[in-house]
Amino acid sequence: MKVISFINMKGGVGKTTSTVEIGALLAKEHDKKVLIIDIDPQTNSTLSLISLEKWEELKDSSTIADVLGMNKGMSSREEEYDINNAIVRNVGGVNNLDLIPSHLELTFLDLDLVSVPARESVLKNKLEGLATEYDYILIDCPPNLTLAPQNALIISDYIIVPVVPEIFPSIGLPLLVNRVHKWKRSFRECNVEFLGVVFTKVDGRYSMHSQQMDALRRKDVIDCFSTVIPQNADLGKAAASNQPATMTHPYCNGVESYRTLVKEILRKINS
Ligand SMILES: Nc1ncnc2c1ncn2[C@@H]1O[C@H](COP(=O)(O)OP(=O)(O)OP(=O)(O)O)[C@@H](O)[C@H]1O
Ligand SMILES: [Mg+2]
């Protein structure tokens, strides 16, 4: 089992879209068993894969908030909460793509767990039973490095950083890299590595995009995938039907690029 977290402290760069499309492609076209964990209280990947009605049904007993022991509902604070209760199977119309939905309560995770010992490892302890069930766990992180993404990092093998090649990422990226390395030094059981930057929302007509991509590649702060994801409205449309674009627009430019990216990711992980 490999665990990949999608992280960038900047918002709106395609973390959620990448998690959902890569997850869908791994399950649908590479015969992998995939679990997406949504640890962002914005619940974007959750609602890209299940309907609001379904989420309403689940939200009091079957979300990441229950897994992390913070839901005030029924099952909640019990030590023995079984993570399987929070797994929704075959989401978004994709066989072998499972989801642990998020919850708005996650906003208060840092406050709720302030006095819990080893609070960065709550998810790790719950996940142990799943190692044999999944080939890939993909974690959709919020745009920060608070306790929820720290719980993701500690169990991750790899980090993928989606980046829109505008002016600010080149400033933010070294900061992210330094933070993660600093944090890793204080949690020795954490072996996470940067797998690479994936450029997203790339507009070929916009020279600033190619300039920024060149500049970041030259800087050599992190490896950059050679596949880039173009600006493509079809990628955003799919969420309205609670399905990945891989299902609704399987041959649009955006999905074709994610398809190539997934092959590049698999080559990189296996090499
Ligand atoms: N390649 C793309 N082309 C066009 N639109 C895109 C592309 N990738 C993502 N989007 C759209 O941009 C918006 C932000 O994308 P997304 O939610 O994936 O970013 P995010 O990094 O997860 O944001 P947040 O930090 O808020 O969680 C969404 O409306 C999404 O549909
Ligand atoms: Mg997101």
Side-chain angles (χ1 to χ4, degrees):
M1 183 181 76
K2 295 289 179 206
V3 183
I4 307 177
S5 283
F6 291 77
I7 293 191
N8 190 334
M9 290 176 287
K10 192 165 161 61
V13 293
K15 295 181 289 296
T16 298
T17 307
S18 300
T19 309
V20 167
E21 299 305 335
I22 291 169
L25 286 162
L26 282 170
K28 184 164 175 264
E29 300 183 5
H30 294 271
D31 208 21
K32 305 290 185 197
K33 184 99 171 102
V34 181
L35 174 67
I36 289 181
I37 305 181
D38 185 0
I39 57 157
D40 182 354
Q42 299 180 97
T43 66
N44 291 343
S45 52
T46 299
L47 296 176
S48 306
L49 293 167
I50 62 172
S51 66
L52 184 60
E53 294 73 32
K54 175 91 177 167
W55 180 79
E56 293 275 354
E57 268 170 42
L58 299 171
K59 75 177 182 4
D60 292 329
S61 59
S62 305
T63 72
I64 190 67
D66 299 281
V67 175
L68 296 173
M70 66 176 304
N71 212 348
K72 310 285 189 295
M74 307 162 291
S75 54
S76 56
R77 294 193 178 266
E78 294 166 14
E79 283 282 295
E80 64 277 12
Y81 182 84
D82 179 355
I83 192 167
N84 284 291
N85 291 338
I87 299 179
V88 192
R89 312 236 169 223
N90 303 321
V91 289
V94 188
N95 277 336
N96 288 327
L97 180 65
D98 295 353
L99 168 76
I100 297 185
S102 188
H103 196 291
L104 302 140
E105 275 280 322
L106 220 53
T107 313
F108 307 111
L109 185 68
D110 289 68
L111 292 174
D112 279 19
L113 297 195
V114 75
S115 58
V116 172
R119 56 186 183 277
E120 300 80 10
S121 304
V122 182
L123 184 57
K124 182 181 184 187
N125 298 334
K126 297 283 181 178
L127 223 58
E128 268 156 16
L130 298 181
T132 53
E133 197 178 334
Y134 291 100
D135 298 306
Y136 286 91
I137 296 184
L138 307 184
I139 309 182
D140 183 19
C141 294
N144 55 53
L145 281 179
T146 53
L147 196 51
Q150 288 178 26
N151 267 270
L153 281 181
I154 216 161
I155 55 171
S156 292
D157 300 290
Y158 302 110
I159 296 172
I160 291 179
V161 190
V163 165
V164 182
E166 284 160 357
I167 196 79
F168 296 112
S170 49
I171 303 168
L173 260 183
L175 196 72
L176 175 65
V177 174
N178 287 341
R179 260 296 132 183
V180 169
H181 284 149
K182 189 170 170 192
W183 186 82
K184 246 177 94 171
R185 282 196 293 277
S186 50
F187 292 97
R188 297 206 176 272
E189 75 261 45
C190 173
N191 293 313
V192 70
E193 288 169 33
F194 284 97
L195 194 62
V197 162
V198 55
F199 292 113
T200 60
K201 299 188 177 182
V202 174
D203 185 341
R205 296 162 306 180
Y206 195 28
S207 64
M208 192 223 243
H209 277 189
S210 49
Q211 283 164 15
Q212 286 299 321
M213 289 194 291
D214 285 350
L216 264 179
R217 287 185 202 280
R218 272 200 309 273
K219 254 192 184 167
D220 212 18
V221 188
I222 325 178
D223 264 11
C224 300
F225 288 101
S226 42
T227 314
V228 303
I229 309 299
Q231 177 80 36
N232 179 213
D234 290 336
L235 286 173
K237 284 185 202 150
S241 55
N242 313 118
Q243 287 195 310
T246 294
M247 298 304 282
T248 60
H249 300 77
Y251 302 108
C252 70
N253 284 343
V255 172
E256 289 287 19
S257 304
Y258 275 114
R259 193 169 278 124
T260 311
L261 177 66
V262 165
K263 290 179 191 151
E264 198 181 345
I265 291 171
L266 289 172
R267 272 201 308 277
K268 209 163 177 184
I269 288 179
N270 294 323
S271 61

